[in-house]
Amino acid sequence: PQSPVTHLRALGGASQALDKFGVALFLEAVDESLEHWARMVLTLMNSTSLSVRSMSVDFIVSLLGGAFEEGGNMDEIALVFVTVLPEVVAREIALFSVSGKISNMKDVECSLWPLRRALADVEETNPLDDDRVDPQLSPFLGTFCRTCQAVIDSVLIELRLKGSQCVIVGSRIQVSPENDLAKSFRMDHGNRNVNRSESLCSVHTFDADEESVFEAANFFLPETAPSQ
């Protein structure tokens, strides 16, 4: 893997090009590789290096702010980022698992904390302190970042629902130990042979999960939301 210094130089060069030539020319230059750029930026936003995360946040704020200034919206770019996000999240979880840093769902959630923090930093960008952000852009940034957080939630929900069958890169992941609540669930159903994963899924699925899934889906057009 490349060092944080290499990442910083690459992001710095990209940011300078974006500032010098503008968003329109930048998008014309990247053309069909915009999805690849989105994957790279989101991956670097999950870096354990604070300086790399900060530079990534700076880049995406410049990109979205410039797009809004030139075209009055950032929908096209935001859609690309949200669409590739599940792939990036899955890859980051897999890389942490291969490194031996994941054994349970808490570890999985911790592996995505830098990305969540970076998205929060993007959302908290203040138009009064940053002239790249138009005051009218702030609500759209908030929606974009909350959607990204909801997409991350949805990936974790999918893993949790696998229960005892949750396997990441060949390693079985402990979704949750069977606590008193799960045991009482099985006893209340009067069947000691109830599948453990089913009981855990029922116990550990909350209203917030449903809200996250709907918020993620609502970002897309009604025609494409179900497949997304």
Side-chain angles (χ1 to χ4, degrees):
Q2 296 172 327
S3 68
V5 174
T6 303
H7 291 155
L8 285 172
R9 288 175 178 173
L11 285 168
S15 296
Q16 286 183 343
L18 186 62
D19 293 339
K20 184 174 183 178
F21 300 108
V23 172
L25 188 57
F26 174 82
L27 293 176
E28 183 179 347
V30 300
D31 196 22
E32 295 181 358
S33 64
L34 180 59
E35 287 189 7
H36 178 62
W37 277 84
R39 291 187 188 96
M40 289 194 302
V41 173
L42 289 170
T43 298
L44 294 177
M45 287 173 70
N46 198 47
S47 171
T48 55
S49 169
L50 176 60
S51 55
V52 173
R53 289 203 309 276
S54 298
M55 185 68 78
S56 302
V57 169
D58 185 73
F59 178 82
I60 196 171
V61 169
S62 295
L63 181 61
L64 296 176
F68 188 84
E69 181 180 0
E70 293 192 9
N73 70 76
M74 56 171 222
D75 295 347
E76 183 178 350
I77 298 175
L79 181 61
V80 172
F81 273 84
V82 175
T83 300
V84 303
L85 181 56
E87 175 188 336
V88 173
V89 170
R91 183 174 182 272
E92 288 297 295
I93 293 173
L95 289 175
F96 274 86
S97 178
V98 169
S99 302
K101 298 178 180 178
I102 290 179
S103 61
N104 52 52
M105 279 303 298
K106 184 177 180 181
D107 295 336
V108 173
E109 293 168 1
C110 289
S111 70
L112 300 171
W113 181 89
L115 177 56
R116 288 189 182 276
R117 180 63 258 177
L119 288 169
D121 289 340
V122 173
E123 183 177 4
E124 293 168 2
T125 304
N126 192 338
L128 298 177
D129 301 326
D130 195 328
D131 58 7
R132 296 172 299 175
V133 179
D134 189 283
Q136 295 182 346
L137 174 61
S138 291
F140 297 102
L141 274 182
T143 299
F144 167 69
C145 292
R146 287 194 302 273
T147 300
C148 289
Q149 299 280 12
V151 168
I152 296 173
D153 288 339
S154 298
V155 174
L156 297 179
I157 291 167
E158 182 178 0
L159 291 176
R160 288 207 309 270
L161 290 176
K162 293 181 181 294
S164 60
Q165 304 302 316
C166 182
V167 177
I168 299 177
V169 197
S171 300
R172 192 174 298 280
I173 303 301
Q174 182 182 12
V175 173
S176 176
E178 187 173 30
N179 53 23
D180 293 337
L181 189 57
K183 291 177 181 177
S184 64
F185 176 89
R186 290 196 295 113
M187 295 300 292
D188 290 343
H189 281 68
N191 183 5
R192 295 178 181 272
N193 295 321
V194 142
N195 184 283
R196 182 170 180 269
S197 64
E198 292 178 358
S199 66
L200 289 177
C201 290
S202 301
V203 170
H204 294 283
T205 302
F206 303 104
D207 291 341
D209 293 344
E210 185 176 332
E211 291 174 6
S212 291
V213 173
F214 277 118
E215 181 160 9
N218 285 338
F219 181 80
F220 301 96
L221 294 174
E223 294 80 7
T224 61
S227 59
Q228 293 283 5

